[in-house]
Each structure stands twice: as structure tokens, then as C-alpha cells.
Amino acid sequence: MEYLAHLRGDGVGQSVKEHLDGVSALAGRMAGEFGASDFAAAVGSVHDAGKYSEAFQRRIRGGAVKVDHSTAGGQLLVESSGNSQVPERPLQLAAYCVLGHHSGLPDGINYDDITDKKTLKKRLTKTVDDYGAFNLENEVPKLQLPSGIKFSDTYSGAFFVRMVFSALVDADWTDTESFISGGADTEPGKREPRPALSSIAELKSRFFESIESYINPADAPPPECADGASVGKQTLMHSRNLLLRECIAAANSDPGLFTLTAPTGSGKTIAGMAFALAHAAKFGKRRVIYVAPYNTIIEQNADEYNLRLGNENVLQHYTTAGYGDSMSEDDERSRRNTPAVENWDSPIIATSAVQFFESLFAFKPSACRKLHNIANSVIIFDEAQALPIGKLIPCVRAMGELVRNYGCTIVLATATQNALDKFFSCGKNNALGIPATEIVSDPHELYLRLKRARIETIPGKLTDEELALRLSEHESVLCIVNTRRHAQKLVEALKKRCSESSLEDTSNGVFHLSTTMYPKHRVRVLDEIRKRLKAGDVCRVVSTSLVEAGVDLDFDTVYRAMAGSDSIVQAAGRCNREWLHDASDSVVYVFESDEHTPPRSIVPNIRAAEQTAGKFDDLASPEAIYCYFEQLYANKGNDRLDDQKIMKKLEGVGVMFPFRHLTLQLIEDVTVPIYVLYNEPGAGEAAAEDTGEPPAELEASAMTETQKLEKRLREGERSRDLFRRLGRYAVSLYSAERTNLCIVGAAEKLDEDVYLLTQNYYKEYGVELTPTGGDGLFL
């Protein structure tokens, strides 16, 4: 009897032996980057041992039999007499991977329900179908933990399991995809072959060639000019060159943890990538991973990298979907449709902090598949100060583990360095004894040299009408507020004020930016804002904090609603960014609103800013910001720096890891998506009057992209590809906001996870957050 692992549509089968050998080789190669080649190869060699059972062989040949084939391999490892002398620890670590390679990593034990049959403890004693034929074609592997991994505590053990699990899942899916596609990606209907990717050395050469004109001799002084603004512009360009040269020089330093503390507008995007590529080339790192907190930053900087490194070499992964997180044991269609993005097999990755950290604490196969490819990488955390305070301890611990055990170099890049170095180096807060090296030789001197605006606090509180009056008096002004509702109310007040004052160009000169607008819409609005700023046209923008970090905008004047010191400094980075005006004439006004209270999540930040305000003459200096973060952490206390108690859940568990209770939720305020497919500005948009009503039906041949996507949804498709495409038209709302839209007839529910907005989307500000019901006509 031939024991089959998979059966292709054309009747060709793949034997279990062939599959086990293929997965073992692939997993060993993938885990070799962190010294666990033998361990992962052993896991791969037994992961589908259960497919040798007669029940599975009947099922794969068409029998209506339900079979658990994943448990057998785990039991084989633990119970085999050939491993009787091996310590329990490596056996159980390996068993997690085998048991979870389809359904996800199991909990070691469920202390809340000891009868839970899905735990490691229960499944290792579960009765399974006889798989004795495994021994006819295979040998039980010997298991030994890799000597290069420092297992300092239970977290290190759980992290190691996830990394090996990642290699196993990727190897399993890759081998299966290869067989199902006939061993080639060029067959009709199969995935297109990926373009050849450049090596790190080639990318370094290409990148440095593109920035050659930026690298001036270090001793070349900025030209002196009579005009103070011109002198400032030259100083800015000279300082950017110096920062770039310092980053290139620092790339020769040994791998480890680095900080890059430089003011906004100083060129961190280019300088940081120059460091990463030079460092990766020198020390044999496989890839560069760029991590940012907001999609707007990723979109902007990924475009920069695409231009200099080529689209084929830059993989963007920051839109999450609610489908495809689990896979049935023989869902070959899902396997075939899984895009390459799932395993991050690209030299340059641009991703979000949510995607990065939540994956490192995940238990599902699809989320973990990419993890092994993080090993031996250079990772840039842009705007590192934006990491949520309540998640600092687990995030720092994950970063430290990558540096200490998985060959990664990490760069924490920010204009407002958030005192994270202490969590890495001091003897508390789950520290790892990892010192941080600052790339900039003198951050304070660089700050003083590039100070282009002053911060001024407005006494008292301002109503929206009073604030709108102030904004209308400026032709180039940005106002950043703390909530989306405030942004929508204020932009209406500003439009009204400009209209009453008969100001010119009011229809096109006032803009709104917030996450009530879907990403593709925001990009278009940002492009229009940049064009107007460059042309010197009237441009008044009301925005939430999404423009605060990393977004390349330059206004003459900035207003910022009261917030933490880091937010105020980031806002100041949008004022006189390119030093086109004298610094003394460029002001950032900090105000309090009389009508809108700050969200509870930033109240501790405001308090810490107030506590440190009296200690420094300049609240934006690096020293003041560092003190602000120390005060913020002290106010919170260590327990509230890990508000999900992830590290506490690992205390005293031995190897009984509660994987399904260790998932990290980086953003506390849970939002849900709603898709805006009826009203795409610039592509057959909702009617010139912008009534918020859907357009008339179009012929299929003239359907817009959004209408094609809606058609696929209504026909029942729920694929990964579809939801990634939908991400460009998704608006994240709180559940109550989405429910309210449904109540007033502005949204339609297709199923539990899919909602479509049917009206109340406006080109000025996106989804109306305070919709009213329809009009009633009584006859």
C-alpha cells in the first residue's frame, strides 16, 4: 500500500515519506538561521506521522472519515523508546509544534478547565488511530535543544517554540504548495512566479548610488546667506548629510541594540535605511524590516524605498483581515491562494507595529508562519515612542529576545527617545542586560542646530468657533486634535468661518484628515495638501494625530490640542519642517478645548507632561522628553506596563505554556472594519453634489474597482486576496459606531464580519460619525 499525504486534482499523489522528508529538509534550513536546524528537521520528520493510519488513507482516497492526524506525531516524540533518555523539556517543546501545525499552538494545560481536551497535556494521552506503518519507512529522530539559545526563563522557551513552529508551518505549506502546483508556478491558474529578488549587497549598492548626491564631505560648512531662512535651509541640508554619514559609520559597529535620536525632518528615513543596509551587508543579515506605528508612515516611506530599491524587493504587510487565520487540515485551495506575503520571504519588509508584535505573540499558523524569517535581520522601529505604554514590557522583551537569541540588530528611531534603553539594560522590568548604542554622537547639539519653531501655550480654553477664527487667520496652518469627532466638528466650523469671512479659495483650501477616511482616500487628500503647500496656495488642515509622526508635511503654523510632551514635539515637526522661514516666526500653539475632553487613554500622558513642565526651559529638548517618559513610566508602574499580564501568565508554568492566553492586543480600543465601496473619490464618485448617496448601477464592463470588490463579496468570496484588496477601502470604527450606522440605514451587514457602508460617506471628512436617520414623509 502506498501511503499518501496529498492527492492532486489530476490524480497524482504525494507519499507521506516524500512529504515528511521534504518538510524536514525545509524546516531545518529555515530554522538554521537561529541555530535550530537539527531540532526543526526532527520536528518536520514526524509532523504528519498520523497520515500513516488506515483511517487517513481511506479519507484521502475519498472516504467520509474524520481523522486527527496531527496528534500522532507529538505522541510519537514523547512516547518513543528511542527518546527515553532525552529530557522531557525538548520533547514537549517539539510536541507543541507538531500538535499545532494545523489548528494552532495548544495551551499546555487549561487551569480553568482541566477537562479541556485540546491542551497539550490531554492530547498527548488521547487515543489515536494506529500509525505503526510510520516505522516501516522512517526512524524516530533524536532531539536536542540548540546550544546557542539561552533559555533564561519560560518566556525564552515559549518564544523558541513559536520560532520552530513558524519554520515547520512554512515548510509544510511550502512543500504542499509545490506539490499541488505540480512543482512549478507557471501552470495555468497557478501562482505567477515571483520576480528574482536582489541580494542585500546589491540593494546596498543600489541604495547608496541613489543617495550619492546627499553625502557631502563631513567638514563642508553650510554656505552663509544674508537671508536667515536661507541660512536655515542650508543648515538643515548640512545636518541631514552629517546624520547620514554618522549612520553609515555606525553600521560597522557590532550587531545589537541601537538608538537613533534625531529631530523630525532630519532625514531619519534615508539615514536609517543606509545604516540598515550597510550593517546587513557587513554582518550577513538576511533582510531589513521596517516597522512603523501608523499606516500613513508606512505608505509614505515604503514609496521612498520602492523608488530606490525597486517594487519587487519591498514587501508591504500592514493590512490585517478577519479571514484566513485558520485552515482545515486538507484545505488545499487555501494553501494555493496563500500569498507570498505570509512568510516575509523578501529582502525588505515594511510592516506595522501591530502586525509585527501581535505575530510574535500569536498561536495561529498563518500569523506565525513569517516569524522564522525575522531571525538574522536588521529591524528599524520608526517612531518608537508610539509603542503603547501598556504593552511596553512584552514588546521590549520580544525585541530583547530577537537581539539576544536570534541574531537581530534593532534600531529604535525617534525624535522623542522614550527611555526604553533602561528596560533593556537595567536589572529590573524583565531586563535582558542589553546595552543600547546611540548612533548620533551628540543628540542635544543636533536638536539645537535643527530647532526650527518655538512652542507657545494659549491660556484658557478655546471653543471650536474661537479656534476656527484663529485658524482662518493663517494661510498655511495645521491643527491637530485628539479625537475624530472633534476633527469633524472643527473642520465644519472652519469651513463656516471661512465662508462667512468671504475668504478666497475656501472650497479647496480647507482639508480634513483622520481615520474616518479609508486609506486610498487619505492618500489622495495628502497628495493634494502637498501640492498646495508646495505651490504656496492657501492650505488649512484639521487632522487627528495620524499626521503627527513621520508624515512629510510642512506648515507655517501649527496648533496642537493638549497632549503628552512627545505628541507636542511630533506636531512641532510639521512646523517649518524645511526651514523656509525664520525659526522665531514659526510657532506651535498648544491649546485646550472648551468643548471636547481628551480621551482617557492620553490623560496619563498629559499629567506626565504637566509634572515635568516646570523642570525644563525647553520642553522639546531631548533631556526634557527623556524625563517626561521616565515620569510617565513611574506614574504607570510596572504592572500597568504589561496591562494584559502576559509575563505574569508565564510565571511558574514550566513548559506548560498557555499559548492561547498569551496573545498580544497592541491597540486597546478594539475597532471593527466597515468597507466603503460605493463612493470612491476620483473614480466615479458619489455624485458631484457629494450627497453621501450611492451612485447608479454601472454596466459590468464599466465597473470600478470598488464595484468589482463588492460583487466578489456579495457572491460569497472570503479570500485573503480579497480582504487585502478591501483594506484600501476599510474604515475602522468602534462597534457602537458601526451599529449606529446600521440603525439609521447607512450600513448593510453581509455577515458577522463584513459590513458595507451604503451612505453617509463624504469626500470632505469620510464617514459621518454622528449620522441621523432618514426623512419620513407622511401622506
Side-chain angles (χ1 to χ4, degrees), residues 439-555:
I439 292 174
V440 178
S441 57
D442 192 340
H444 182 79
E445 192 277 333
L446 179 61
Y447 163 75
L448 292 176
R449 193 192 319 151
L450 293 182
K451 188 174 180 180
R452 288 151 285 169
R454 58 187 175 89
I455 298 173
E456 183 178 311
T457 301
I458 298 174
K461 296 184 177 182
L462 298 178
T463 64
D464 285 350
E465 185 177 347
E466 291 169 335
L467 182 54
L469 174 61
R470 282 175 169 265
L471 298 177
S472 69
E473 295 171 348
H474 301 279
E475 292 191 351
S476 172
V477 62
L478 168 67
C479 181
I480 302 175
V481 295
N482 291 321
T483 67
R484 300 185 296 185
R485 291 182 186 275
H486 191 182
Q488 290 192 353
K489 294 290 186 182
L490 182 58
V491 81
E492 288 298 320
L494 179 56
K495 282 178 173 290
K496 180 180 178 182
R497 174 62 194 173
C498 291
S499 176
E500 291 173 349
S501 302
S502 299
L503 296 176
E504 295 181 1
D505 202 20
T506 57
S507 60
N508 293 321
V510 177
F511 297 91
H512 165 277
L513 282 171
S514 83
T515 53
T516 57
M517 305 158 70
Y518 56 80
K520 194 172 181 180
H521 187 186
R522 287 201 308 268
V523 169
R524 275 195 286 263
V525 173
L526 278 168
D527 287 343
E528 178 63 22
I529 290 171
R530 291 189 178 102
K531 289 177 183 177
R532 296 183 69 85
L533 290 172
K534 185 176 181 179
D537 296 334
V538 173
C539 190
R540 303 179 179 97
V541 178
V542 176
S543 176
T544 56
S545 60
L546 68 85
V547 301
E548 207 164 64
V551 179
D552 187 10
L553 296 175
D554 185 9
F555 294 86

Side-chain angles (χ1 to χ4, degrees), residues 447 451-460 462 467 470 474 557-563 568-569 571-572 575 583-592 617-620:
Y447 163 75
K451 188 174 180 180
R452 288 151 285 169
R454 58 187 175 89
I455 298 173
E456 183 178 311
T457 301
I458 298 174
L462 298 178
L467 182 54
R470 282 175 169 265
H474 301 279
T557 305
V558 170
Y559 283 74
R560 182 51 168 104
M562 185 62 188
I568 294 170
V569 172
C575 184
S584 62
D585 297 328
S586 304
V587 185
V588 178
Y589 294 101
V590 180
F591 67 92
E592 286 190 68
D617 294 331
D618 185 356
L619 296 180

Side-chain angles (χ1 to χ4, degrees), residues 221-346:
E224 293 297 329
C225 304
D227 182 359
S230 298
V231 172
K233 180 66 174 178
Q234 294 296 331
T235 301
L236 177 61
M237 298 306 297
H238 181 64
S239 298
R240 287 173 176 171
N241 292 334
L242 290 178
L243 178 64
L244 179 57
R245 294 175 66 86
E246 283 200 293
C247 284
I248 294 172
N252 293 314
S253 303
D254 290 340
L257 175 68
F258 293 83
T259 55
L260 175 56
T261 309
T264 55
S266 59
K268 289 191 297 295
T269 299
I270 297 297
M273 182 57 73
F275 167 90
L277 287 171
H279 186 82
K282 179 175 177 62
F283 294 99
K285 305 301 180 185
R286 292 188 298 167
R287 58 183 46 85
V288 174
I289 303 175
Y290 172 82
V291 184
Y294 310 118
N295 289 354
T296 47
I297 306 176
I298 304 170
E299 291 160 0
Q300 173 181 285
N301 291 342
D303 286 344
E304 184 77 32
Y305 299 148
N306 284 334
L307 179 66
R308 299 179 186 280
L309 300 172
N311 293 345
E312 71 279 6
N313 294 307
V314 181
L315 176 66
Q316 300 180 51
H317 189 191
Y318 50 89
T319 300
T320 56
Y323 289 83
D325 288 336
S326 62
M327 181 180 294
S328 63
E329 295 201 345
D330 291 280
D331 188 353
E332 307 298 359
R333 181 176 181 274
S334 293
R335 294 180 186 275
R336 292 197 300 272
N337 290 338
T338 301
V341 72
E342 291 295 336
N343 66 358
W344 284 8
D345 186 15
S346 184

Side-chain angles (χ1 to χ4, degrees), residues 379-444:
I379 310 169
I380 304 171
F381 289 95
D382 200 2
E383 307 298 345
Q385 82 289 341
L387 284 175
I389 300 297
K391 317 296 176 182
L392 278 187
I393 294 297
C395 286
V396 166
R397 188 59 207 273
M399 289 188 282
E401 198 70 24
L402 289 171
V403 171
R404 188 175 63 167
N405 280 326
Y406 297 90
C408 291
T409 285
I410 285 179
V411 181
L412 304 175
T414 176
T416 52
Q417 201 57 253
N418 52 347
L420 283 185
D421 55 324
K422 289 190 174 183
F423 291 89
F424 285 98
S425 60
C426 66
K428 59 181 181 179
N429 301 331
N430 299 298
L432 297 158
I434 301 173
T437 301
E438 173 58 56
I439 292 174
V440 178
S441 57
D442 192 340
H444 182 79

Side-chain angles (χ1 to χ4, degrees), residues 29 206 412 508 611 645:
R29 178 171 58 81
R206 185 171 177 175
L412 304 175
N508 293 321
Q611 288 173 306
K645 296 181 171 39

Side-chain angles (χ1 to χ4, degrees), residues 34-36 145-152 156-157 160 401 404-406:
F34 51 94
L145 291 176
S147 59
I149 301 291
K150 300 174 183 176
F151 294 96
S152 57
S156 293
F160 174 74
E401 198 70 24
R404 188 175 63 167
N405 280 326
Y406 297 90

